[in-house]
Amino acid sequence: MDKIKQASTFFGITEVADKLNLSQKTVRRHIASGKLKSIKIGGVYRVPIDALDDFMNHNEIQDDEEIVGYDLFGKKIFKSDNFKNKKKTFNYRNNGKDNVNWIDIVDNWEKPKKSELTFVDLFSGAGGITKGFELAGLNGICGLDWFEAAGKTYRRNFKHPFVEGDIKSSEKKSEFYETVKKGLKGNTLNVVAGGFPCQGFSMAGNRIVDDPRNALYKELLEIVCTLQPEFVVCENVVGLRSMLGGKVEEMILDDFLDAGYEMNVTVLRAADYSVPQKRDRVIFIGNRIGKVNYHPKAFLTPTEYVTTGEAIGDLMKMGDNPDFNHVQTKHRPEMVKKMLLLEEGKSLYKGYSDAWKKCPWDEASCTIKENHGGVNVHPKLGRVLTAREMARIQSFPDDFIFEGPKNQQLVQLGNAVPPLLAKAIGLAIRKSYGEI
């Protein structure tokens, strides 16, 4: 179909919203419910002219679209949206506690059988979620990130495609949609997974400001609405939960509910799943197909955690090996002395709470970070951790090799989701499907 013919017989969502005097969210909801018929062209919803005529002739819409207020982003709320909001029950909390469906995964932990379930990884970085989901038996279809070094790492370690570029770019988004479509080969996309930056959320009056830095969250939501996966998994820092008195978390849950996904959310500690690190992350899991959203039940207690010493002790006498990402930083003598005298769990500098912190030897490590050059201090040696030591503490296997200069390897590692944490989440999703 050529562009002229396509333009003359189909409308985009924006055009439909303008013609019907509706919000784009309402149009997407009508499409999702089946009231407004549409097709996908190049991964984008298009509404045929006759389908729009049929919708206008058989659906009362104008009275329902009275503007009654504004949402958290300052966008108009229509009467139909407000009515739906009144019917919402925020069942993700019960007496102040997370309403979580815990599932035991320990019996399926070792060498799970291969699954038919598929996933894509947005904001993938080097591929921590991808590696974990593959360890859980799921099938990667495509990764997406802007960081060139992370893209090289991803391509080196995975067989499926990686799209490198700005997710806000329509050209890159089209490339991503086409890559996903090709990779699925007509099969269902089961999971969209990814984290998103949350620095841009701030308040003005009683609503969240539409900060440009929130664009990546909106892109995630748009991609989910377009691809219509059966499940969505979102990962983020624990601090997101308290942002603006909990309004950011509530907005995320509302937005995905509007898109058809009922979500459950809680905080998971990586060390509970064999990761030698006390790394806490908030994990949203939602689906649109009526399944139970399971979160993986912890199978290790704090006294059973894998320790830093167990994870990296055998690397202490190893010389530099760039091919293994094990290159030691050379520090000035006075810096070496300071690091050796530093107490475990403390930071080298008072102004840094999470950077230049010494990992404990006989416990699971503190959170691994790369904060503008401030990486974690080795518990026994007068230097910071190497990339391979960080990889071990993050639970990446030794055959997972990171590309790029050393400083960029450290950034990739500091931003990564621990693969074994992602594996636990992947197994929980398989439990939701009744596969295992």
Side-chain angles (χ1 to χ4, degrees):
M1 181 183 298
D2 59 48
K3 292 183 179 179
I4 297 177
K5 185 177 181 181
Q6 178 177 322
S8 64
T9 56
F10 294 94
F11 294 115
I13 288 178
T14 302
E15 295 173 298
V16 172
D18 290 341
K19 290 180 180 296
L20 298 180
N21 193 29
L22 303 179
S23 65
Q24 292 186 37
K25 180 185 289 186
T26 300
V27 173
R28 290 186 183 278
R29 192 164 64 246
H30 286 315
I31 290 174
S33 70
K35 290 183 179 180
L36 178 58
K37 303 299 180 183
S38 67
I39 63 173
K40 279 187 178 181
I41 300 176
V44 178
Y45 282 106
R46 298 292 182 183
V47 177
I49 288 179
D50 55 352
L52 181 59
D53 290 339
D54 184 67
F55 178 82
M56 295 175 68
N57 291 329
H58 295 88
N59 293 275
E60 296 181 3
I61 57 175
Q62 295 300 327
D63 291 342
D64 198 35
E65 293 306 310
E66 178 185 349
I67 297 174
V68 295
Y70 296 86
D71 69 8
L72 293 173
F73 274 123
K75 294 181 180 179
K76 295 175 182 177
I77 295 176
F78 296 88
K79 184 178 179 181
S80 61
D81 296 324
N82 197 47
F83 177 71
K84 183 175 181 180
N85 285 339
K86 288 180 180 178
K87 295 193 296 181
K88 288 180 183 177
T89 56
F90 294 102
N91 60 353
Y92 57 93
R93 290 276 172 80
N94 183 14
N95 295 325
K97 295 182 178 180
D98 295 334
N99 188 5
V100 182
N101 305 299
W102 296 108
I103 193 73
D104 195 344
I105 61 168
V106 68
D107 291 341
N108 305 101
W109 186 253
E110 298 296 334
K111 298 181 180 179
K113 293 181 179 179
K114 188 70 174 175
S115 171
E116 296 297 322
L117 299 179
T118 58
F119 71 91
V120 297
D121 190 354
L122 306 180
F123 316 106
S124 62
I129 289 179
T130 296
K131 186 61 183 178
F133 276 13
E134 287 196 347
L135 289 172
L138 281 68
N139 302 279
I141 299 299
C142 188
L144 172 65
D145 202 276
W146 66 272
F147 190 14
E148 182 180 358
K152 291 179 180 177
T153 297
Y154 198 101
R155 293 186 185 98
R156 173 167 184 158
N157 291 281
F158 302 108
K159 295 180 180 179
H160 57 264
F162 175 86
V163 175
E164 182 183 316
D166 187 352
I167 195 173
K168 301 187 298 296
S169 162
S170 58
E171 180 181 350
K172 283 297 174 182
K173 203 177 298 180
S174 295
E175 179 186 346
F176 174 70
Y177 289 145
E178 287 300 319
T179 304
V180 172
K181 181 180 179 181
K182 183 178 179 180
L184 287 172
K185 300 177 181 178
N187 295 317
T188 299
L189 177 61
N190 299 106
V191 186
V192 164
F196 53 88
C198 57
Q199 297 94 334
F201 295 114
S202 58
M203 292 291 288
N206 64 347
R207 65 182 188 271
I208 295 176
V209 174
D210 196 357
D211 191 298
R213 289 172 294 177
N214 297 330
L216 296 181
Y217 163 69
K218 295 179 183 178
E219 296 296 343
L220 166 66
L221 190 62
E222 179 182 325
I223 287 173
V224 168
C225 290
T226 300
L227 293 180
Q228 288 289 294
E230 294 182 336
F231 271 79
V232 176
V233 175
C234 297
E235 174 269 346
N236 220 297
V237 296
V238 175
L240 177 141
R241 306 205 73 182
S242 58
M243 280 187 171
L244 309 183
K247 286 185 177 292
V248 171
E249 181 179 285
E250 184 176 310
M251 177 199 69
I252 291 168
L253 293 161
D254 280 358
D255 284 347
F256 277 99
L257 186 59
D258 283 339
Y261 295 83
E262 292 190 3
M263 281 192 156
N264 295 82
V265 56
T266 195
V267 174
L268 300 183
R269 170 159 287 191
D272 291 341
Y273 312 97
S274 291
V275 180
Q277 180 185 181
K278 298 173 185 175
R279 189 185 191 97
D280 295 337
R281 285 296 182 268
V282 60
I283 304 295
F284 298 79
I285 299 177
N287 80 88
R288 63 174 181 82
I289 56 175
K291 300 289 187 182
V292 177
N293 296 320
Y294 286 125
H295 279 78
K297 185 178 179 181
F299 58 78
L300 293 181
T301 65
T303 59
E304 299 170 317
Y305 286 168
V306 181
T307 69
T308 304
E310 290 172 327
I312 68 173
D314 64 308
L315 300 177
M316 286 182 63
K317 296 182 180 180
M318 178 182 288
D320 287 354
N321 184 348
D323 293 335
F324 189 54
N325 302 132
H326 187 67
V327 178
Q328 302 169 71
T329 301
K330 305 299 188 293
H331 302 282
R332 300 188 309 273
E334 59 269 26
M335 182 66 115
V336 172
K337 184 177 180 179
K338 287 182 180 180
M339 290 182 176
L340 289 172
L341 293 174
L342 183 64
E343 183 181 346
E344 289 184 1
K346 300 295 184 179
S347 176
L348 198 62
Y349 301 104
K350 291 183 179 180
Y352 294 90
S353 59
D354 292 317
W356 300 98
K357 183 181 287 187
K358 178 175 278 192
C359 302
W361 183 257
D362 292 321
E363 301 176 18
S365 171
C366 47
T367 301
I368 289 294
K369 290 191 174 183
E370 197 292 324
N371 190 359
H372 304 290
V375 291
N376 299 67
V377 177
H378 194 286
K380 298 291 186 181
L381 303 176
R383 61 170 175 79
V384 295
L385 298 176
T386 68
R388 180 50 52 191
E389 288 165 339
M390 290 176 67
R392 287 272 189 92
I393 294 173
Q394 280 279 57
S395 76
F396 282 94
D398 281 351
D399 62 357
F400 195 103
I401 304 301
F402 292 82
E403 295 285 353
K406 179 183 173 182
N407 65 323
Q408 293 184 4
Q409 295 172 18
L410 301 181
V411 171
Q412 293 172 59
L413 279 156
N415 291 333
V417 175
L420 292 187
L421 173 59
K423 177 183 179 181
I425 296 168
L427 290 173
I429 291 174
R430 293 188 66 179
K431 291 274 190 176
S432 295
Y433 277 97
E435 279 199 339
I436 53 177

